Amino acid sequence: MRALVWHGKEDIRYDTVTDPEIEEPRDAIVKVTSCAICGSDLHLFHNFIPAMLPGDIMGHEMMGEVVEVGHGVNGKLKKGDRIVVPFTIICGECDQCKSGNFSLCERSNRKKELGDTAYGHAAAGLFGYTHLTGGYPGGQAEYVRVPFADATHIKVPEGIPDEQLLFLGDIFPTGWQAAMNCDIQPTDTVAVWGCGPVGQMAIRSAILLGAKQVVAIDCLSERLGMAEAGGAIPLNFEEESVIDRLNELTDGKGPEKCIDAVGLESHITMYQPDTVLDRAKQMFMLENDRPHALREMIYVCRPGGTISIAGVYSGLSDNIPLGQLMNKAVTIRTGQTHVNRWTDDLLRRIEEGQIDPSFVITHTVALADGPEMYKTFADKQDSCIKVVMRP
Amino acid sequence: MSIFSKIKRSKGDPKILRSGPSSLSSGDRLAKRLGWLGIGLGVAQLVAAGSITRALGMEGREGLVRAYGARELATGMLSLSTEKSLGLWGRVAGDGLDIATLAGELDRYNPKRANVAGALALVLGVSVLDLVAALATTARHRRSQGKQVSYRDRSGFPHGVKAARDAGNRAPAARSRPEPSRPVAFPAG
């Protein structure tokens, strides 16, 4: 089969690889009909998250048709079923899965020892997202093996196009959980840092959850335009002060809820010296992440407010202002999203026409064009916000 | 990290049969090679400044060679990074300094004049490569490439933003803020 394969920093290739096979009784093989490049794939593209091996297949946003099931799937999935594959692999049976904390599944990370060493305790296995999360081959491919397939799937109905359903596997529930973690009240101002695909979903989620006003912070006009279309107040941090504008919009009190949809690759600018220092440290492996957005939201967040982190961080971040955080009694909530906790509700909202997540797609290409689209997306060229690929 | 942690691929994982087109352009590949060249040269200049100055008849200027070595290291690392264009333009500027310094040592009284001429030829060759790579990566990774599109018509709400807001305001069940705790009433007296 054909697949997008990681060969090293900024080196993704459209390779021919061996087909996946059923390895465990609970496996299924899915023929991928649509897959996408996630913003977090760019962290792997740029080699900011360790533990990738040359030859790893990329991708954790995919959907398709079940073409083969293992004998342990027990009728919960059958050949011909149309499914979205959640990026978190879940057993459905461990304590965490039973509690709905699916991204913390205790059994699905097959390289648990490595995950335990890096994080203290490993989280769930993920598709195409380093060997710290199991080293599972990803879904930017013609076929993908889905472990624990009887639990790791979202069945979707016929009649709704892939474009509307694909994002149920990651960015839509990620944006949704980011907003849910804020416990949004009708009087709340929600500020969202980063208007990439997850930020766009977080903005729509905050609107659907009844926020009084949503502020979208970015520096790219196409992203801010899309955010504004979704009901947000755009704030271009290259043109105005984030702190001043947010205070102005909240009677000087700061936003009650702050969502970080930026993660470890904060924009670098000479006007924010900490971003330059972070980048230099990152280059010398003295720091993993560039947490400028997080520092800013800790500073501007209203006392007693909540910061919800949806952006991916990989390891160590320096100069986090714990004094501000502690003295202002700010709550931080975070985590990879527990995809299946939210998908019934989100699928219903799509079916009812409350939201159509396909709004975020700016480029639809063949899988063969994947390597070039990684570059286009990473360099933010051609007004690219979200790439969907058809194997 | 993959080397030190002994990460191994699992048995059933797909294997590459044939490698296809890459996201790396020829300019990116050249940038990588020049980056590693810069790091190698930088380390050599830092640890063997004395040998280099002797070979070029520049005794007493070890400090300058080491400073240039540090510059080579820094621009080499940048050339390997996501900011490779910055690194490569840094290398081009550094090449200018190298050329000026070496040209100054080409006087007829320098007994190692031939070595200096050789080094100068080498630097000139690398300068051309640096310039080619800098121009190529700057053009390829420039953000303004492609069309500029407005997405101001993409709300994502088929019934409009107002309907979505109204739906949100009608759905308190989705929220989960705990009730504020009541003040404790102490008995009087």
Side-chain angles (χ1 to χ4, degrees):
Chain A
M1 69 168 183
R2 297 299 189 94
L4 299 186
V5 177
W6 189 91
H7 283 261
K9 186 170 163 294
E10 295 176 289
D11 188 0
I12 303 286
R13 298 184 201 169
Y14 181 59
D15 287 350
T16 305
V17 301
T18 52
D19 289 346
E21 293 174 355
I22 298 284
E23 293 174 32
E24 302 289 339
R26 293 175 68 182
D27 286 356
I29 304 295
V30 171
K31 182 179 192 304
V32 178
T33 53
S34 296
C35 55
I37 303 176
C38 183
S40 62
D41 285 330
L42 296 183
H43 305 322
L44 307 180
F45 183 64
H46 290 143
N47 205 19
F48 282 130
I49 301 185
M52 286 292 281
L53 286 181
D56 285 345
I57 297 178
M58 297 289 292
H60 56 269
E61 293 184 31
M62 61 277 193
M63 66 178 294
E65 181 193 335
V66 177
V67 291
E68 196 180 350
V69 291
H71 62 79
V73 173
N74 288 332
K76 287 178 185 159
L77 210 55
K78 62 180 191 308
K79 206 172 153 180
D81 281 347
R82 187 186 187 209
I83 62 167
V84 173
V85 183
F87 77 100
T88 48
I89 301 168
I90 58 173
C91 74
E93 294 166 343
C94 68
D95 289 346
Q96 294 283 14
C97 282
K98 282 179 186 165
S99 305
N101 298 327
F102 297 112
S103 71
L104 306 175
C105 175
E106 293 166 344
R107 292 170 58 193
S108 63
N109 188 342
R110 62 182 174 173
K111 296 183 177 170
K112 192 174 176 304
E113 265 182 42
L114 192 61
D116 284 345
T117 306
Y119 295 128
H121 298 283
L126 308 178
F127 289 98
Y129 216 76
T130 83
H131 290 259
L132 290 171
T133 59
Y136 291 100
Q140 287 167 5
E142 290 175 325
Y143 295 91
V144 62
R145 178 177 78 93
V146 179
F148 299 101
D150 52 326
T152 307
H153 69 264
I154 304 149
K155 272 191 196 167
V156 288
E158 299 293 337
I160 304 176
D162 279 14
E163 292 83 351
Q164 289 189 33
L165 299 169
L166 174 62
F167 304 133
L168 281 171
D170 181 357
I171 58 168
F172 190 14
T174 295
W176 185 259
Q177 179 169 301
M180 287 297 285
N181 276 347
C182 287
D183 293 334
I184 291 170
Q185 303 298 306
T187 51
D188 281 348
T189 294
V190 179
V192 180
W193 274 256
C195 297
V198 166
Q200 299 288 345
M201 294 297 168
I203 288 163
R204 270 72 180 177
S205 302
I207 296 280
L208 282 170
L209 290 169
K212 185 179 91 178
Q213 59 181 355
V214 180
V215 186
I217 303 160
D218 206 296
C219 65
L220 302 178
S221 59
E222 63 271 19
R223 294 180 180 214
L224 287 169
M226 188 184 271
E228 192 175 8
I233 299 164
L235 196 171
N236 186 332
F237 64 79
E238 284 188 338
E239 292 174 359
E240 53 189 333
S241 157
V242 172
I243 311 293
D244 291 350
R245 181 82 173 117
L246 286 176
N247 283 334
E248 183 189 309
L249 287 165
T250 54
D251 297 326
K253 294 182 172 184
E256 291 91 343
K257 308 293 159 63
C258 301
I259 293 177
D260 177 354
V262 177
L264 68 92
E265 288 189 66
S266 262
H267 185 75
I268 303 162
T269 165
M270 298 304 282
Y271 301 110
Q272 303 284 358
D274 63 317
T275 63
V276 180
L277 183 62
D278 282 333
R279 183 67 191 102
K281 285 163 133 181
Q282 206 176 31
M283 212 175 285
F284 287 96
M285 296 183 195
L286 298 172
E287 184 181 21
N288 298 96
D289 307 324
R290 307 200 296 263
H292 170 78
L294 190 56
R295 289 185 196 119
E296 198 164 67
M297 62 185 78
I298 291 171
Y299 184 80
V300 77
C301 186
R302 186 174 299 197
T306 298
I307 291 174
S308 168
I309 304 174
V312 171
Y313 288 90
S314 72
L316 303 175
S317 297
D318 290 350
N319 301 322
I320 301 295
L322 285 175
Q324 295 166 9
L325 192 70
M326 185 270 168
N327 285 291
K328 286 163 66 181
V330 170
T331 300
I332 288 190
R333 299 184 73 181
T334 185
Q336 298 279 10
T337 194
H338 307 297
V339 180
N340 292 64
R341 188 195 286 185
W342 314 110
T343 45
D344 285 352
D345 183 27
L346 297 181
L347 178 58
R348 177 186 61 78
R349 289 173 188 269
I350 293 170
E351 287 178 313
E352 288 177 359
Q354 282 188 36
I355 185 164
D356 174 1
S358 68
F359 76 91
V360 79
I361 301 170
T362 55
H363 292 68
T364 302
V365 298
L367 187 65
D369 297 322
E372 195 58 24
M373 290 316 296
Y374 262 94
K375 185 206 75 90
T376 302
F377 187 29
D379 291 331
K380 300 179 175 64
Q381 293 170 340
D382 203 34
S383 301
C384 181
I385 297 179
K386 187 70 181 176
V387 181
V388 168
M389 296 176 291
R390 305 268 193 210
Chain B
M1 178 177 165
S2 52
I3 297 165
F4 300 117
S5 59
K6 298 178 187 164
I7 299 170
K8 285 194 185 117
R9 192 170 299 293
S10 299
K11 205 175 74 184
D13 289 351
K15 292 164 188 65
I16 298 170
L17 301 174
R18 200 169 53 252
S19 208
S22 166
S23 51
L24 276 182
S25 67
S26 51
D28 294 329
R29 288 179 200 281
L30 181 57
K32 258 187 171 180
R33 291 187 183 116
L34 291 168
W36 283 116
L37 174 71
I39 289 171
L41 276 173
V43 170
Q45 286 173 296
L46 283 172
V47 301
S51 309
I52 291 169
T53 52
R54 276 196 299 279
L56 296 173
M58 293 171 62
E59 286 90 344
R61 303 187 72 183
E62 287 77 13
L64 181 74
V65 171
R66 286 196 188 96
Y68 282 12
R71 185 205 73 215
E72 284 281 3
L73 261 181
T75 54
M77 286 187 77
L78 267 176
S79 303
L80 293 174
S81 77
T82 46
E83 291 78 23
K84 60 176 78 57
S85 297
L86 186 64
L88 289 163
W89 285 115
R91 284 184 55 77
V92 170
D95 292 337
L97 277 177
D98 289 344
I99 290 165
T101 307
L102 287 168
E105 299 298 327
L106 265 181
D107 66 86
R108 70 179 114 152
Y109 304 109
N110 185 344
K112 302 289 172 61
R113 196 163 175 264
N115 288 351
V116 175
L120 192 55
L122 202 68
V123 172
L124 282 168
V126 173
S127 303
V128 172
L129 292 177
D130 284 335
L131 188 63
V132 167
L135 289 169
T137 56
T138 303
R140 181 168 164 81
H141 297 286
R142 196 176 47 229
R143 200 184 97 68
S144 58
Q145 257 189 37
K147 58 187 183 301
Q148 293 301 303
V149 183
S150 166
Y151 301 120
R152 288 174 193 277
D153 56 347
R154 295 191 179 204
S155 78
F157 299 121
H159 303 300
V161 176
K162 187 177 179 308
R165 280 189 192 281
D166 292 345
N169 291 331
R170 286 196 306 271
R175 304 187 197 106
S176 58
R177 178 183 278 185
E179 287 290 310
S181 54
R182 296 198 183 102
V184 178
F186 291 98

